[in-house]
Amino acid sequence: MKTFYAIFSLILSSLFFNSSVYNPSLKEIRLNDIQVIGSHNSYKVAIEPPILDYLFQLDSATGRGLQYEHPPFTEQLDLGLRNLELDVFNDPEGGYYSNPAGLDIVRASGKTPLPFDKEEKLKVPGLKVFHVQEIDFRSNQLLFKDALIELKRWSDRNQGHTPIIVTINAKDGEIPNTRKPLVFDANALQTIDTEIRSIFPEEKLITPDLVRGKQTNLEKAVLKDGWPKLATIKGKFLFVLDEGGAKLDLYLRKFPALKGATLFVNKAEGNPEAAFRIVNDPIADFDKIKELVALGYMVRTRADADTKEARANDYSKFEMAKESGAQVITTDYYVPSKLFESDYKVIFGDGTYERIKK
């Protein structure tokens, strides 16, 4: 049974996004005219207590920062979230991330680890989804393809939903005393596109080509023509590569000017590929976000990070995120934490997770 908020969200969608009866001007609402709340590291399952205790002993700040969790994607989408974040690891042959060392930490504490990867998904070739190798390895979907399948199945059951924005981190950072991740080279980055398109047909995707239209580049399209109208992109997904530097350059080497690309990229304004920006601090970068939004870019920012705001019941970032006009606001706490005492909850004042911006 759907929760009250999910039902309310469906009603809101019906009134504001699907119907022309109540206000004809709503036909002109574009993707960048809305504001949605989403989840950060959306796949993450809570770290087992023995591992968390171990992390607290090593560095209490790290332990606190990792003390959050999320339910399955379907539950998040039913609740009304319209943005998710996935971390992917390169594993073309499969098995590289099997048997994480954290399981040995649990055993060394005298406890038996909770069941993990009983279906041996980690042995399957392809992109994997989890947070930190060896330590924070539990995930609601270990395979990127399985995560995509779950999202598509939900979408097929909820046709006409507000577009869902999925940001993706391609993770290969080294962490002391853990196995070295496999590097994301240009071919590995292209695998993200390949796996998405193996699950989602073209008509389910909002791509750079779709948004560019007849303009010479993507940035001109969003600044001059604007983002697509919601009425034309209901039920679709927009994917963003949340990377910069060398990885971004490698991706653009595979998809020059993002032609044929599945992913939007976090390219700075003034570049032909610029359209969707990741600006994570709505307090320090408040004016920058407002300016980007006013020009026509889409922006993702954060309401909280590292559990700090939730522990302090501090809504200052969330308030600034809303006021900045950023279209996507991520949080670990669209429902209050069950892992420590806190009433902190990120939700719009009308009890929903999506709205048309004022």
Side-chain angles (χ1 to χ4, degrees), residues 293-351:
V293 169
L295 289 170
Y297 300 94
M298 288 191 67
V299 179
R300 190 212 79 174
T301 194
R302 295 182 66 174
D304 44 73
D306 303 322
T307 77
K308 293 177 182 177
E309 286 76 16
R311 293 179 190 275
N313 281 301
D314 179 3
Y315 289 89
S316 56
K317 271 191 178 179
F318 180 44
E319 292 302 323
M320 294 294 277
K322 288 188 292 183
E323 184 65 24
S324 74
Q327 291 87 355
V328 180
I329 304 170
T330 67
T331 179
D332 291 316
Y333 302 102
Y334 43 90
V335 293
S337 176
K338 297 178 182 177
L339 302 177
F340 54 81
E341 193 73 26
S342 174
D343 295 325
Y344 181 81
K345 178 180 178 180
V346 170
I347 192 169
F348 292 129
D350 60 1

Side-chain angles (χ1 to χ4, degrees), residues 84-319:
L84 301 171
E85 180 183 51
L86 302 178
D87 291 335
V88 296
F89 286 78
N90 185 29
D91 189 17
E93 296 182 5
Y96 187 79
Y97 298 101
S98 297
N99 302 313
L103 297 175
D104 292 329
I105 294 174
V106 177
R107 295 185 188 102
S109 74
K111 303 288 181 63
T112 300
L114 296 172
F116 178 69
D117 195 20
K118 294 177 70 174
E119 297 179 347
E120 297 188 328
K121 297 281 191 179
L122 289 175
K123 292 185 178 180
V124 176
L127 299 170
K128 305 303 187 294
V129 178
F130 54 88
H131 190 213
V132 182
Q133 64 271 21
E134 312 279 33
I135 295 170
D136 197 1
F137 50 83
R138 293 190 179 274
S139 174
N140 282 308
Q141 292 287 6
L142 286 167
L143 295 183
F144 185 51
K145 278 189 177 181
D146 283 351
L148 297 173
I149 288 169
E150 182 179 353
L151 299 184
K152 185 176 182 298
R153 284 177 177 167
W154 182 90
S155 179
D156 290 343
R157 293 193 304 269
N158 294 270
Q159 295 185 25
H161 60 78
T162 303
I164 296 167
I165 298 164
V166 183
T167 58
I168 296 173
N169 292 110
K171 299 190 76 171
D172 57 10
E174 296 183 38
I175 297 174
N177 302 317
T178 67
R179 75 187 75 184
K180 183 179 179 180
L182 297 177
V183 172
F184 265 97
D185 58 15
N187 289 332
L189 289 166
Q190 188 175 20
T191 301
I192 302 175
D193 276 58
T194 302
E195 293 202 6
I196 291 172
R197 288 185 179 274
S198 74
I199 305 301
F200 286 93
E202 187 73 23
E203 61 269 19
K204 293 288 289 184
L205 298 172
I206 302 168
T207 63
D209 287 340
L210 175 68
V211 175
R212 187 187 307 106
K214 296 180 180 179
Q215 281 289 358
T216 55
N217 66 58
L218 183 59
E219 186 177 52
K220 274 188 181 178
V222 298
L223 299 187
K224 292 187 176 182
D225 299 338
W227 290 83
K229 294 178 181 179
L230 279 178
T232 68
I233 53 172
K234 293 183 297 182
K236 295 179 183 283
F237 287 75
L238 185 152
F239 291 89
V240 183
L241 180 64
D242 183 6
E243 295 290 349
K247 285 182 197 170
L248 178 51
D249 293 339
L250 287 171
Y251 186 77
L252 291 174
R253 188 180 303 171
K254 284 289 183 179
F255 300 100
L258 293 178
K259 292 181 179 178
T262 304
L263 306 171
F264 290 80
V265 296
N266 182 28
K267 192 72 171 177
E269 56 276 15
N271 289 284
E273 303 88 2
F276 195 107
R277 299 301 325 279
I278 309 288
V279 187
N280 284 326
D281 191 335
I283 294 179
D285 293 316
F286 180 78
D287 291 336
K288 178 180 180 178
I289 295 173
K290 285 203 76 166
E291 181 181 0
L292 289 171
V293 169
L295 289 170
Y297 300 94
M298 288 191 67
V299 179
R300 190 212 79 174
T301 194
R302 295 182 66 174
D304 44 73
D306 303 322
T307 77
K308 293 177 182 177
E309 286 76 16
R311 293 179 190 275
N313 281 301
D314 179 3
Y315 289 89
S316 56
K317 271 191 178 179
F318 180 44
E319 292 302 323

Side-chain angles (χ1 to χ4, degrees), residues 42-44 69-76 140 334-335:
S42 311
Y43 52 84
K44 186 174 165 359
E69 63 181 346
H70 294 292
F73 304 130
T74 296
E75 188 173 329
Q76 296 180 49
N140 282 308
Y334 43 90
V335 293

